[in-house]
Amino acid sequence: MRLLFIIITAFLITAFLCMLTAATLPCFAVDVLTNEQNDFFEARIRPVLVEQCYSCHNSTKQADASLELDHRPGLLEGGDGGKIVVPGKPLESRLLAILRHEIPGLKMPQGAAKLDKQVIADFEKWIEMGLPDPRDRPPTAEEIDKLTSWEVVLEKRKQWWSLQPVREVSPVSDVNNAWSPHLVDRFILDKLQEKQLVPNNPADANTLVRRLYFALVGLPPTAKESNHWVAELSRPHGYDALVEHLLNSPHFGERWARHWMDWIRYADSHGSEGDPSIENGWLYRDYLIRALNADIPYDQMVREHMAGDLLEPPRIDAVQGVNESLIATAHWRMVFHGFSPTDALDEKVRFIDDQINTFSKAFLGLTVSCARCHDHKFDAISQNDYYALFGIMSSCRPGRSAIETPEKMGLNRKVLHELKPRIRESISGVWLESVATLRDKLCRDDELWKKVDNKSVLFPWAMLEKDLSKGLSFADAWRNQSDVWEKSRTDREAVSRGQVLQRWNFARPDDLASWTRTGVGLYDNEPSTAGEFVVDISGDNALLGIYPAGIYSHRVSNKHPARLTSRDTKIDGEFDLWLRTIGSPLSSARFVVHDYPRKGVVFPTVDCKNQWQWQKLDMSYWSGDTIHVELSTAADAPLLVQNEPRSWFGVREVMIAPKGQSVPTDSSEHLDPWFEIAAQSPPHSREDAAGQFATAVEFAIQAWQKGSATDQQAILLDLCMKQDLLPSKLDELGDAKDLVSEYRRLEGEIPVPTRVPTLEETDSRTQALYVRGDHKKPGDEVSRGFLSAINASPYSTKQSGRLELAEDILRNDNPLTRRVIVNRLWHHLFGRGIVGTPDNFGRLGHLPSHPQLLDHLAARFQSQDGSLKEMIRYLVTSKTWQLSSRPSSAAIQADPDNNLLSHSHVKRLEAEAIRDSLLAVSGRLDSTLYGKPVSGDSNRRSVYLRVTRNALDPFLRAFDFPEPFSAVGRRDVTNVPAQSLTLMNDEHIASMATSWMTVLLADKATADDDRVRSMFIDALGRTANRDEIELARRYVESAKQTYAAIETQATELESQIQNRQSAIDQRLALGRAQILVESKVKPAIDDPICPPPIGRWDFESSAEDIVGSLHANLLKGATVNAGALIVDGKGYAVTEPLKQTLKEKTLEAWLQLDSFDQHGGGVMSVQSSTGGLFDAIVFAEKRDGQWIAGSNNFHRTQSFGGPTETEAVSRPVHIAIVYQLHGKVIGYRDGKPYGEPYQSNGPLEFKAGETIVSFGVRHLPAGGNRMLKGRILRAQLYDRALNPEQVIASAQSIAQYVSDSQILASLSETERKQVELDRSQVKEWKSRLEKLRPKNGHSSEIMAWSDLARAMFTFKEFIFVK
Amino acid sequence: MSMYDDLNSTVSRRRMLQRCSNGFGAMALASMLNQTAIASPDSLPVGAALKATHHAPKAKHVIFCYMSGGVSAIDSFDPKPLLNRDHGKPMPVKIERTMFNKNGLIMGSPFEFTPAGECGMPISNMFPHIAKVADELALVRSMTSPLSEHAQANFFMHTGFPVMGYPTAGAWAAYGLGTENQNLPGYIVLQSGSATAPHGGVSLYSNGFLPAQHQGSIVKADQAEAIRNIRPQEAISIQRRRLDFVKQFDEPFLKDSSDVQIEAAIQNYETAFRMQSAVPDLCDISGETKQTLEMYGVDSPDVEMSAYARQCLLARRLVERGVRFIELSCLTRKIGAGNAPNPWDQHSELEKGHRAMALQVDQPIGALIQDLRSRGLLDETLIVWAGEFGRTPFSQGSNGRDHNPYGFSIWMAGGGVKGGTIHGATDELGYYAIENKCSIYDMWATVLHQLGVNHEELTYRYGGRDFRLTDVHGNVIQEILDGSPA
């Protein structure tokens, strides 16, 4: 019916149109197409229809909006919205408006980029031509499938420029052209000449030096360097020498590592709730710096990034003895991890997507991640390709590996191994002697068994004795014990026969074979046999333990890393995981769901214990999901790292059993050797039984000596040794003592390994494609492999395939890899890539401005073994790179965006370079290389700042530091007010200006003009001209006057404040005295004995400093209420920075504790702004219940040895700590000396502007056991050491302390109003004063020059490089 | 030139002139063709990515009251009598995986519900003030989210994606529609007292891949330094003198390169300079009447309520100043598992915790709606009240509830929504949404719709595809909009 309708309609339309247009327009029946028309359709129209339209508008499967575009009648008929074309009438054809995206909501092709202008023009022409079209009938389903199949689409998409082979052609311009023979320049010149443009003049020497410094090392040249190199540049090869100099600078690596870190979304934490740290991730940053400085070939670096853990041989840094290749894999782990997801597979899919997204953009310039849910909309990437890569990544788990070389990690391992049998021989000899007395000892020495518990080897003996003492016959009494043992043995066997999903017995090599062992602690291929023992590396005992057969990480040393993981297991149903383990307390065991590495309520972990135990984990929550089992030492857990240098574990069995199945027990295995002897010839007396026990032990020793002990014998010996039935102390062990000492010495030489986050290879897996990206809808399985556009053959490796992936990225015929990297280099050097979208070489990326040049660079890069330095040298030695940035008027006209590079781009410095410049110019820069991440207030280069995903550095963020979640090859360069506000108002910037000027002004002899000159050189790398000097000088002059005037005003204001304040004080003192009289307390007029403090907080209604300006801010829920600062173990308060430097001092506080059961909470601290240095009143840190003068790492702390606090919960106490100038520290409680004063190596000098006072926290950062729980009623800080008399006076004042509100209430209405008025006046004056006067107390001269320095920091020339 | 310029994406002025001189005028043509018959769109301020709204907007501003931690729907806006009847009985349906896996028995609501307003919408007695404006509320009881974990659910709720890196709704709005006040950012996040960013951190307010000027600017409503570095640490005259001095050097530098980004950076200092007074002026509420302060609860002895009230009051002042998108932040009361980033998170002590949190926000939000109404601003301001998910009908432990993303309530008010509407429903235990299920995408599609934006048309090309706030989903919830059939 429908078909008929269409035919009729089509016929009618055609007929109608023919009639209508016959006179003026050609009309086509299908059989009358001319060759020309046919060619036009086939060449220009049909491919577009097929590629862009058929999949949604066809006559067989899908006709969105009832529109069929796969045959002419369908096209002419139109769809639900009516006709879309009118033959011969482009203006009436809606199709063109749709293609031009002029109709809201109707932009075709849907979800895709607008078609090229040329293509739309072709359609316009086609319509004009009357739509010549040979497609007279709808194609069949097969025909459509064939046309729209991925293979066909792929072939088309493979034609995209970036997938074409790299081809070298010569530039057109003459090699002998006057400008430059450099190939880069000739390619540039070719394009310029097309537009009749000429290259600009070269930049001047100052500009070039500055430009080179920033480009290559990211720092400004110092004045000396600038002067030197500017002069050098005028000599032959001077420029080349500077390039060499900078390429060889260690700061080159820092600069370029930061670019690389952008490509790979470097971060030090995982983000999300909790934002856990990526422990030791910074070693990867240092790896980059080292590799770039050493100019490791790019191919090698890419290989290391993909599969550095699998490379044979790896690249070793011989000096450090570390495996460099391995460190590179840490980037795989810098993914965002959600917090305790209830759908762990979803989370896994997300983090693999993050990995694929990042590496494919970084190294291939492709957005592979777009193909997660469907074939890529524009590029030659199918959904299959995505899951081929996904399979590679899902064959790996988060891991953690030691970076030391096998030699370094295996130091002394062989010798120690060999030493062990000798130790065993020696000990067993002593034991065999001692066992002779065991029978008698047991019969005679009641103390041996009187206090034993049921885990003791002598428990049956104790029970036997008990029964005998009750009057049972020996035979009955013995039978009781042998029955107990029989039953326990039956129970054990029942458990071992119980139904389980899986069971692994690590005595059996076959069971171990399917597990992955990581770390030198588990390098041996076989499990340990029974009788394995471990030498104790410290203390009185010779041995740590004698073990049954199983797996042990500490056979040689407990510094050895170890992690043991099972294969993946799907758990359908409700199961428990059982593990039989032993280990040091921070070693852990867990099941890992879909490789999710964090822990949480539904991701539980159990810690090992120092004795054998069965541990159970309920896995029923995860029924239907896939898990694996993981045992790990403290530092080897992939994410839950505990930085404990020594840690170990052992495991005998693991099983997955139905939930609630009977509990396996450890009991009485050790009794087997004894009771088995007794079972053969039952004892008749105590002596018999004791004799059999001794015999069992003796047999066990003999067997152990020969290396043939059973599990039971090993456990028996372990217990005998630990329960003093056999000598265990070194002093009792004869020769063994020396051997153990030797063992300990050699073991001590083994280094503590450094671990980095890595990947762990597991079973290679074939990934099921997720239909529409939905992980709950697995589709067909996809073989692992690379992008089929480049290499379509699947991987067959038993490893994950990352090695193959690396090789495919680096294939000679992979046209992307080298183009992408040289373009990245070009982008960072020239300010804009040849391809403007460095992370996207696909259809939605920019086209290359100079495709031939790009190919030339890619080919050259490859032929020079991927040397990054060589390429950078090549680029910066081109004339193009050295052009002046001032455009010619012709260039502005012909090429306003400077795509053709007739001149240099002006570049705004990156956030890091701005910060580093400020530090460098102000003389604060600490140019130490490498190391742990630091916070933003450090003076280290910005590349070392910690990248905490949830708390990125605000300064860097303001200047477009990228959020680390995807490859960023081209940073945003924005212009937001936060940037101006930072440079205008950030106190840090102001203080850098002062630092700089303090140095410059130290030389009084320098004339002002010269000082200005050197400032220009320092900050801008150029000499100031006469006008500039004059302007600057005048500015400083006028600023000096201003600051001097301010000083006068401020002094005046200060005295006003003082006067008014004393008026208030007087009025209040009267009221206070009145109240004290009424309450019969003897008034003490404002104590003449006590000097004024520099800070006083009464916490009456706020945390303001009522004598100075050290106002405290309440944080994390600290409150001020009822005249006290209330802290609850989380809240605390921090003041504004001190305006004076503090050396000798007194800290004083009145406080009440919430409870005595708290440890290490700080009452009041003076500290550096980050808490690195501090002096504090601390409760119960070193000893329970005692007050101490806390300090960083106890540097200035000793115990006062004062009495344990017993009152501070029920009433407020007064605590003061006096720090005398020569280091003596005296504590006071309620005005009386507390314990004994001591001599410290203090006092430390706390610097003005960098010191704060805190309350409720021992030191910053706030957290952990540094927090106090209690109420701080009042606190005072003095800049001097009070004497005992003064402390007493101050302490007593609390008794006479009358609150402000009490006093106010006692005043008359008029008086009160006056006080309030005066106070608000004082407050206003104070705030005026604060605004008026700089906080740092510098002279008006320094202030004026610093003002100029700040101005220079805000010069655009400071942050833009020409 | 607008105060915020993305030097990458803004078409350079030179290039613009070039284009015009070549006679393309493509932009003018495009905007002419955008004039469709649906409704006449509004022109937008300079700097907006859209040339005009897609249709006539109902709202110009959004106030997003984010109830971080997850408010229990069944204790607030979705009464379920069956819960109280079957209190203590086991759940009759399968329990989905929960965060803490401590699933107890059915737990009745400790709150009473009273019909409010002329519409008779039942509202829990924890919200007496919001109940007074019930006739303004369009309630959606059938919200769903795919995520039951705070950080990811917060990201999802803000950006449509469960991880960091994507633009947040406020950034999309500011990007698409620009801002009317050139001295204030277009997207402002208010905080006061103990309020902090929800789990996930400040990336929840990120511009993602959109130009940076659209990121949320945190304004600390009760602090002297309301915006980082907004306070000059010296006399303003000194600063002015310095800026004037700097200009004398910047201008020749600009001339030397005639680079548009340098010109923009010079302008930027002037904007920043003006912001230094615009922000304190915004935060200075001394001109508000005592009556207003009382109505909001600014003078409340309850510290949290007072601080939240200050945010609500500033929200109104921001609306008056033309700011596009304002997000409010709850303060912490550490009850149950509730903490500063997730104060509504009562895994235990649900009643106590929800009462305390409701006390904090109820009066201020109620006052905000009334105040906007009485000033004639409610019509142009869309208020969105939502948490990242609801809470389970069964207990966790003895008296808490775990996360429930399968069915929960949000509401909107003002901005052209149909007050007094209830849309969608959960099952009779309030566990799953069963009627007219709505997604977070639908919620944002609706918000954008009210702002005059077709959510499918506000896109940004990044990393190989065109991104939207609603990803590839979202339907406008027509039923809660004015003009839809009753």
Side-chain angles (χ1 to χ4, degrees), chain A residues 102 104-107 111-114 117 272-274 336-344 346-347 350 361 367 370 376 378 601-602 621-625 840 844 885-887 892-893 896-897 906-908 949-950 954-955 957 960 963-967 970-977 979-987 1016 1022 1028 1031-1032 1035 1038-1039 1042-1043 1046 1116-1117 1128 1130 1330-1331 1335 1347-1348 1350-1351 1353-1357 1360 1362, chain B residues 2-8 12 14-15 18 24 29-30 33-36 54 97-101 146-152 155 162-166 194 199-203 206-213 215 227-235 237-239 241-243 245-246 248-250 253 255-259 261-262 264-269 271-273 275-276 332 334 339 342 406 454 456-457 461-466:
Chain A
E102 289 166 356
L106 203 56
K107 296 179 178 174
K114 196 150 67 165
K117 273 186 194 154
S272 192
E273 184 173 344
F336 179 97
H337 277 304
F339 174 75
S340 202
T342 55
D343 185 345
D346 185 31
E347 174 72 17
R350 209 173 284 132
K361 281 181 181 167
T367 55
C370 293
H376 201 288
F378 317 106
V601 176
V602 294
Y621 183 90
W622 296 106
S623 173
D625 278 300
N840 192 356
L844 293 190
S885 61
R886 185 171 194 170
I892 294 174
Q893 278 305 313
D897 290 339
V906 173
K907 295 175 280 290
R908 201 203 69 206
R949 277 197 160 95
N950 284 3
F955 181 92
R957 273 298 281 161
D960 305 309
E963 281 188 327
F965 81 103
S966 179
R970 185 190 68 187
R971 284 194 185 180
D972 291 335
V973 183
T974 65
N975 182 34
V976 293
Q979 294 164 357
S980 306
L981 288 172
T982 303
L983 290 174
M984 279 157 66
N985 296 334
D986 190 326
E987 285 185 77
F1016 269 72
R1022 68 174 176 88
E1028 287 172 331
L1031 269 175
Y1035 183 71
S1038 128
T1042 310
Y1043 288 110
I1046 285 173
K1116 298 278 175 192
D1128 60 355
K1130 284 179 183 151
E1330 212 169 292
K1331 275 187 193 146
K1335 286 184 177 180
D1347 196 330
L1348 174 62
R1350 288 178 69 178
F1353 289 157
T1354 43
F1355 281 3
K1356 304 308 159 281
E1357 192 178 349
F1360 284 93
K1362 286 200 288 179
Chain B
S2 150
M3 70 186 282
Y4 308 100
D5 295 298
D6 179 351
L7 301 176
N8 276 344
S12 80
R14 288 200 305 262
R15 198 160 27 157
Q18 188 71 17
F24 280 110
L29 182 66
L33 284 158
N34 264 335
Q35 315 263 342
T36 58
H54 298 125
R97 284 174 181 173
T98 54
M99 283 297 282
F100 286 87
N101 198 28
L147 296 144
S148 60
E149 176 259 299
H150 292 295
Q152 291 178 332
F155 276 118
V163 289
M164 76 187 297
Y166 295 88
S194 62
H199 280 306
V202 292
S203 296
S206 171
N207 53 297
F209 37 71
L210 298 177
Q213 66 264 38
Q215 68 188 279
I227 287 185
R228 209 180 149 78
N229 292 319
I230 195 73
R231 244 184 347 164
Q233 304 293 327
E234 59 199 336
S237 59
I238 291 183
Q239 197 179 63
R241 179 178 60 190
R242 188 180 310 127
L243 290 182
F245 172 72
V246 168
Q248 294 177 280
F249 290 80
D250 282 350
F253 183 69
K255 216 169 165 191
D256 195 36
S257 63
S258 51
D259 192 284
Q261 49 176 348
I262 295 172
I266 294 171
Q267 287 299 323
N268 187 277
Y269 274 87
T271 315
F273 187 78
M275 258 177 99
Q276 291 179 153
T332 183
K334 294 172 188 170
N339 213 320
N342 53 331
Y406 309 105
N454 175 352
E456 293 181 347
E457 296 280 311
R461 181 155 294 172
Y462 166 77
R465 58 176 274 217
D466 284 342

Side-chain angles (χ1 to χ4, degrees), chain A residues 682-698:
Chain A
H684 301 293
S685 63
R686 284 175 75 233
E687 289 73 16
D688 266 6
Q692 286 176 340
F693 175 73
T695 307
V697 175
E698 188 178 359

